[in-house]
Amino acid sequence: MAERKGRALVLAPMRGPGWELLNELTDIVYEPVYEPAAEQRPFPLRSAADVARGLAETGATILMTEADEVAGPVFDHPLELIAVTRGDPGNVDVAAATARGIPVLYTPGKGADAVAELTVALLFAVARGVVAADRTVREASVYAGGVTPYQRHRAWQLAGRTFGIVGLGAVGRAVWWRMDGLGMRVVACDPYAEGATHKLPELLNVADVVSMHAALTDETHGMIGERQFEIMKDGAVFLNTARAELHDTGALASALSSGHLAGAGLDSGEPSHPLAGVPNVVLTPHIGGATFDAEAEQAELVAADIERLRLGELPQHCVNPEVFQGVLGAGPGRSS
């Protein structure tokens, strides 16, 4: 076992064996924004000033957070380590951390299975009209207009159809085998990943379902717009359980209203979505990674890297490995 060292202010939800290991490795002060208990508090993201205040009050030299702001006054404190339980630590001023020699750990792939499962859920909800069918039962309108539910809710089965994955990272790969198991032909687009089968225009032309799993970057922002929706197959379904900024919502609305697309499933996170009134759209409030298992996964990833550091080894998942130059040796690049 590595040496127990340092006090850690933990603002992210943790559980499982990784959490137990973290308690052995560090002196924990646990103040997550939401609790794993049944009764949950609201989810207020802490400002940099609030995080700095927490560090001052606890005397912590290790910060573990999910989405709180880590910038400015946070770096007035003697931090030795920052751990972010996200695949993209965009809430951290990484340049400031690097300038102070503070490693920033992150958790790539955390929650991949969770997001993949929600992708499956949205696919069935849209393609088989599950939400609309549920509503007719609740509203006692199953036979409205003399139309039987068998007539109203008929749909094409998914087996034998083509499922297109845009972004073949951890989530994309987790989606792939699930769709393959449903009997779908899976194709993928990702210029940076082995195993991708198509370029984007080719994928959009052949896929009956297009599912977004790309990371949000300057390159991918708005990558699915009017032209991309136009070249998708008539009657295709569009899914996005990644980031809403990957597609143009106005262009999607037009493609749906024209009947060109059959429907869409979006894990949007927007409290008042512009497509909320569109009947062939299923919306969820950015809950793709909201599983207890994801909390256990992130604890394991962080704990494993902190244990490596305690043993004088390089962490596997570090955004700024250059901080270890001349300290632990030349480290690997950012892991994905």
Side-chain angles (χ1 to χ4, degrees), residues 99-288:
R100 291 163 176 77
I102 305 169
V104 179
L105 307 181
Y106 72 126
T107 55
K110 181 266 295 190
D113 285 321
V115 178
E117 288 180 358
L118 184 66
T119 302
V120 175
L122 286 175
L123 173 61
F124 278 108
V126 176
R128 294 302 304 270
V130 173
V131 176
D134 173 85
R135 187 179 301 115
T136 64
V137 175
R138 294 176 187 275
E139 297 176 351
S141 59
V142 172
Y143 294 95
V147 179
T148 67
Y150 188 92
Q151 292 173 286
R152 181 179 293 111
H153 299 295
R154 280 182 301 172
W156 293 104
Q157 66 186 31
L158 297 172
R161 300 280 163 174
T162 298
F163 190 95
I165 297 172
V166 181
L168 199 55
V171 176
R173 291 190 295 270
V175 169
W176 184 308
W177 67 259
R178 286 170 167 83
M179 298 307 167
D180 183 67
L182 291 175
M184 301 189 77
R185 171 186 175 234
V186 183
V187 297
C189 165
D190 190 326
Y192 305 106
E194 292 185 10
T197 59
H198 290 59
K199 293 183 178 180
L200 182 60
E202 298 167 343
L203 181 145
L204 297 176
N205 270 301
V206 301
D208 298 291
V209 181
V210 174
S211 190
M212 303 301 296
H213 303 288
L216 181 62
T217 65
D218 290 341
E219 182 182 5
T220 62
H221 190 284
M223 66 183 299
I224 306 296
E226 182 178 359
R227 175 57 183 159
Q228 287 72 33
F229 284 121
E230 285 177 354
I231 63 177
M232 286 175 61
K233 294 177 67 174
D234 284 334
V237 168
F238 179 74
L239 305 176
N240 188 351
T241 52
R243 297 287 294 275
E245 295 88 347
L246 293 173
H247 70 264
D248 182 326
T249 300
L252 174 58
S254 296
L256 290 165
S257 64
S258 70
H260 175 53
L261 296 187
L266 310 173
D267 188 30
S268 66
E270 297 182 46
S272 181
H273 199 281
L275 299 182
V278 181
N280 54 340
V281 175
V282 177
L283 301 168
T284 52
H286 200 55
I287 57 172

Side-chain angles (χ1 to χ4, degrees), residues 287-305:
I287 57 172
T291 66
F292 298 122
D293 306 85
E295 295 174 4
E297 290 170 17
Q298 66 195 26
E300 288 185 18
L301 287 167
V302 171
D305 268 347

